[in-house]
C-alpha cells in the first residue's frame, strides 16, 4: 500500500515540474542541470503532459523541435537553444552548422503518436489545425528520412548508428556492437553527468568513450548518412526504435487520412508500414521465443533481452503468434521483481538495479508497454504496469528512473517526462494502488 498522497496534489506537482522546466514558453528541458536543452523524444512525451493544462503550449513544444529539423529531414536528438556548461557533449563537439546549434543524430520518433494524442483531445480546433498544417509535412519528411537514409535497401529494418539514437544509451544490447568502435584517435573530454548523478547510476567510462568516438566519426564524415551506412562501426536495428517508428507510421497514416492534411501521402505510409510488418519476424528468435535487436554489421541477433522486447505491442496489430510467449516472459519478470517493467532482463547476470538502462524501471517505457498491452486486450498486465508506475512515483517522486526491487528513485530529479507520464498514464491507476 502506497503512503496516501492526494491525487490532486500529485497532479499539481507534475504540472509545476513542467512549468519549472519550461524555457521561454517554447520548449522544456528534461531536467534542470543534467539535461539543460531540448531533447527530441523527451519533448514529444512532455507535450502530451503539457496539453493537460495548455494545448497551445503543447503544440508550441513540438513546433519548436521541428524548427530545428535538418534539410535532409532528420530531426536532431538535442537542440542547444542556449549555452549550458553543465552538459557534455555540447555544440562544440557536435559541430553542426545550424542555428540554434543541434546534435547530429536522431532519437526514437514519437512525434506522430503524440501529435495524434494531443489532436484527439484538443478543444481549440483552430490552433490544432494550424499545428497540424505545420507539423504533418515535417513529420512525413522525418519518417521519409528514416526509411530512405536508414534503410537504403528497403529491408524494413531501420538502422540506428549510435546508442543514443535508440534512447536506451547503455543497454547491455549494445556492449558487443560497441566493441568495434575504435578509440585510438579519441580526443580528451570531460564528462559532466557524473557531477550531478552518482556514477553508479550512469553509463561507465568505456561506454562513454565509445559514445564520443562515434560522434567524432560522424563529424569527420560531415554526417552524410548514406556514407555512414557503409562505414559506421555501430549499426543496429533496435527492436525499440523500430516498434516506435511502426507505431508512429500507423498514427501518421491516421492523421493524414482523418485530418485532410497531406492525404495524398497515405499510400507511401502504407508501404512503410507493410515493409516494417514484413520485417518484424526477423527480430523474433524461436529459441528464446522473444524479440531481439539485430546487429546489422554481423547480421546476428543480439542475445540480451530488454524491456523493449515488449514494445512490439505498442507498435500495434501484433500478430497473435507472438502474444503468448511474450506474456509468459512478462509473467516471469513480474514474479521476479517488485516493480514492472525492469529495463533489462532481471534473470540475466548483467542486470544492474541502478545503472541507467541496465535494469531500472522507466515510466515512459511503462507508458508505452502498458498502452500496447491494453490495446491488445491484456488488461491485467496493463494494470500491473500502471499501478507499479503510480506507486513508484507517488512514493519516491518524479525521478528519472527507479530500482525495480526497492523502488528507490534514481538519476535526475523533477524529471519532465516522468511528470508527463504521471499526467497521461500513471495517475489513472493511482486509485487502484490505495
Ligand atoms: C545523455 O547525455 O545521457 C543522453 O542520453 C544523450 O542524449
Amino acid at each position: 500500500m502506497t503512503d496516501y498522497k492526494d491525487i490532486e496534489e500529485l497532479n499539481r506537482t507534475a504540472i509545476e515540474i513542467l512549468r519549472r522546466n519550461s524555457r521561454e514558453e517554447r520548449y522544456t528541458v528534461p531536467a534542470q542541470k543534467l539535461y539543460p536543452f531540448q531533447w527530441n523524444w523527451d519533448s514529444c512525451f512532455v507535450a502530451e503532459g503539457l496539453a493537460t493544462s495548455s494545448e497551445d503550449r503543447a503544440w508550441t513544444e513540438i513546433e519548436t523541435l521541428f524548427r530545428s529539423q535538418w534539410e535532409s529531414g532528420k530531426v536532431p536528438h538535442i537542440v542547444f537553444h542556449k549555452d549550458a556548461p553543465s552538459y557534455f557533449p555540447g555544440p562544440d563537439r557536435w559541430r553542426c552548422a545550424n542555428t540554434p546549434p543541434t546534435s547530429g543524430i536522431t532519437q526514437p520518433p514519437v512525434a506522430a503518436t503524440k501529435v495524434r494524442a494531443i489532436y484527439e483531445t484538443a478543444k481549440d480546433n483552430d490552433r490544432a489545425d494550424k499545428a497540424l498544417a505545420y507539423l504533418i509535412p515535417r513529420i512525413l519528411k522525418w519518417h521519409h528520412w528514416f526509411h530512405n537514409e536508414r534503410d537504403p535497401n528497403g529491408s524494413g529494418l531501420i538502422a540506428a548508428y549510435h546508442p543514443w539514437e535508440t534512447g536506451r544509451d547503455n543497454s547491455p544490447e549494445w556492449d558487443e556492437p560497441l566493441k568495434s568502435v575504435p578509440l585510438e584517435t579519441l580526443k580528451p573530454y570531460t564528462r559532466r553527468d557524473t557531477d550531478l548523478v552518482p556514477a553508479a547510476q550512469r553509463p561507465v567510462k568505456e561506454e562513454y568513450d565509445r559514445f564520443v568516438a562515434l560522434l567524432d566519426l560522424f563529424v569527420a564524415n560531415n554526417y552524410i548518412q548514406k556514407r555512414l551506412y557503409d562505414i559506421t562501426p555501430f549499426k543496429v536495428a533496435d527492436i525499440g526504435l523500430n516498434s516506435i517508428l511502426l507505431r508512429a507510421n500507423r498514427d501518421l497514416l491516421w492523421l493524414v487520412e482523418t485530418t485532410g492534411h497531406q492525404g495524398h501521402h497515405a499510400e507511401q505510409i502504407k508501404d512503410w508500414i507493410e515493409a516494417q510488418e514484413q520485417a518484424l519476424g526477423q527480430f523474433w528468435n524461436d529459441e528464446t521465443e522473444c524479440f531481439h535487436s539485430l546487429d546489422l554489421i554481423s547480421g546476428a541477433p543480439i542475445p540480451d533481452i530488454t524491456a523493449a522486447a515488449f514494445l512490439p505491442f505498442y507498435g500495434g496489430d501484433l500478430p497473435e503468434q507472438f502474444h503468448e510467449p511474450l506474456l509468459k516472459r512478462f509473467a516471469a519478470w513480474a514474479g521476479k521483481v517488485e516493480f514492472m517493467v525492469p529495463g533489462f532482463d532481471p534473470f540475466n547476470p548483467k542486470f544492474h538495479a541502478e545503472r541507467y538502462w541496465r535494469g531500472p524501471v522507466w515510466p515512459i517505457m511503462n507508458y508505452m508497454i502498458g498502452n500496447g498491452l491494453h490495446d491488445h486486450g491484456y488488461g491485467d498486465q496493463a494494470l500491473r504496469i500502471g499501478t507499479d508506475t503510480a506507486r513508484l512515483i507517488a512514493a519516491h517522486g518524479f525521478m528519472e528512473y527507479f530500482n525495480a526491487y526497492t523502488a528507490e528513485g534514481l538519476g535526475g530529479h523533477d524529471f519532465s517526462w516522468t511528470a508527463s507520464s504521471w499526467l497521461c498514464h500513471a495517475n489513472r491507476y493511482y486509485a487502484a494502488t490505495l
Side-chain angles (χ1 to χ4, degrees):
M1 160 125 173
T2 310
D3 286 342
Y4 181 74
K5 280 200 183 87
D6 179 51
I7 190 164
E8 295 305 331
E9 184 192 322
L10 286 160
N11 292 344
R12 271 196 303 277
T13 306
I15 289 169
E16 173 56 21
I17 288 170
L18 295 183
R19 201 194 58 72
R20 254 186 287 133
N21 289 347
S22 170
R23 299 286 176 272
E24 302 164 10
E25 290 298 312
R26 285 193 305 133
Y27 68 98
T28 307
V29 301
Q32 301 265 353
K33 283 203 174 122
L34 187 59
Y35 302 117
F37 313 106
Q38 182 174 29
W39 259 260
N40 183 325
W41 71 329
D42 289 78
S43 238
C44 294
F45 276 108
V46 160
E48 195 185 1
L50 289 169
T52 62
S53 47
S54 166
E55 287 171 25
D56 179 49
R57 179 66 187 79
W59 291 125
T60 303
E61 180 82 22
I62 307 182
E63 288 162 350
T64 303
L65 175 68
F66 275 83
R67 272 200 193 98
S68 286
Q69 182 169 34
W70 287 28
E71 197 42 50
S72 63
K74 174 169 62 189
V75 183
H77 100 296
I78 306 177
V79 184
F80 299 104
H81 291 283
K82 275 186 181 167
D83 281 350
S86 63
Y87 184 80
F88 173 85
D92 296 354
R93 195 81 180 205
W94 288 102
R95 290 165 56 192
C96 300
N98 310 60
T99 314
T102 70
S103 73
I105 57 171
T106 195
Q107 247 179 350
V110 288
T113 302
K114 296 306 165 193
V115 165
R116 174 178 175 177
I118 298 167
Y119 174 73
E120 283 193 285
T121 54
K123 294 187 188 65
D124 183 344
N125 294 333
D126 288 347
R127 180 66 181 92
D129 204 56
K130 219 173 106 204
L132 294 185
Y134 182 78
L135 290 171
I136 291 181
R138 287 165 175 81
I139 295 174
L140 267 163
K141 199 170 165 191
W142 189 23
H143 288 204
H144 196 270
W145 176 86
F146 271 114
H147 285 278
N148 277 269
E149 305 287 333
R150 295 308 184 86
D151 180 21
N153 307 318
S155 67
L157 302 173
I158 309 296
Y161 292 172
H162 195 294
W164 288 341
E165 291 197 318
T166 71
R168 301 191 314 289
D169 304 5
N170 67 336
S171 165
E173 292 158 290
W174 320 138
D175 291 356
E176 273 304 310
L178 270 179
K179 285 188 182 149
S180 316
V181 178
L183 293 179
E184 291 74 41
T185 55
L186 180 65
K187 287 187 224 72
Y189 68 93
T190 307
R191 281 174 74 166
R192 300 282 174 216
D193 57 320
T194 41
D195 299 343
L196 300 163
V197 168
Q201 297 173 21
R202 293 287 303 173
V204 297
K205 178 180 183 314
E206 290 68 32
E207 288 153 352
Y208 237 81
D209 282 353
R210 290 191 156 84
F211 295 162
V212 179
L214 265 176
L215 181 175
D216 291 344
L217 178 88
F218 301 158
V219 175
N221 285 281
N222 295 321
Y223 296 106
I224 297 169
Q225 298 301 302
K226 284 198 174 130
R227 183 190 302 167
L228 291 178
Y229 194 87
D230 293 327
I231 65 158
T232 177
F234 180 94
K235 186 166 60 177
V236 299
D238 165 28
I239 185 62
L241 188 151
N242 279 264
S243 302
I244 288 170
L245 179 61
L246 175 55
R247 171 60 184 266
N249 275 327
R250 295 189 199 286
D251 290 322
L252 186 57
L253 180 62
W254 184 91
L255 283 165
V256 305
E257 285 184 333
T258 314
T259 67
H261 291 279
Q262 305 287 318
H264 55 289
H265 285 285
E267 291 309 313
Q268 168 72 83
I269 304 170
K270 283 183 197 161
D271 287 348
W272 293 336
I273 293 173
E274 199 189 315
Q276 288 201 276
E277 284 179 340
Q278 279 179 4
L280 189 65
Q282 294 185 54
F283 293 99
W284 187 257
N285 183 312
D286 281 332
E287 269 164 48
T288 59
E289 298 203 288
C290 195
F291 288 111
H292 292 251
S293 296
L294 306 172
D295 184 337
L296 292 178
I297 292 180
S298 71
I302 296 169
D304 299 308
I305 294 173
T306 72
F310 299 109
L311 284 177
F313 281 116
Y314 167 85
D317 282 345
L318 183 64
E320 192 81 35
Q321 82 233 42
F322 301 121
H323 294 200
E324 207 190 297
L326 286 176
L327 294 176
K328 230 168 89 191
R329 186 170 298 274
F330 185 95
W333 287 23
K336 171 99 171 125
V337 298
E338 283 298 316
F339 298 92
M340 286 293 270
V341 180
F344 184 59
D345 179 0
F347 294 95
N348 188 316
K350 288 186 231 165
F351 178 90
H352 191 300
E354 294 188 351
R355 200 181 286 287
Y356 211 40
W357 289 95
R358 300 177 85 90
V361 180
W362 288 75
I364 44 110
M365 287 294 281
N366 277 9
Y367 182 14
M368 291 188 283
I369 297 169
N371 266 16
L373 285 163
H374 176 270
D375 291 349
H376 286 80
Y378 300 115
D380 289 349
Q381 289 80 357
L383 179 69
R384 168 77 196 258
I385 293 177
T387 50
D388 283 3
T389 320
R391 285 158 68 212
L392 289 168
I393 296 174
H396 293 274
F398 294 85
M399 298 295 290
E400 187 177 5
Y401 41 98
F402 299 86
N403 185 316
Y405 288 98
T406 66
E408 186 195 351
L410 304 163
H413 294 249
D414 294 342
F415 216 83
S416 298
W417 73 9
T418 305
S420 189
S421 301
W422 171 266
L423 291 167
C424 303
H425 172 235
N427 72 355
R428 299 192 191 139
Y429 292 92
Y430 185 53
T433 70
L434 301 174

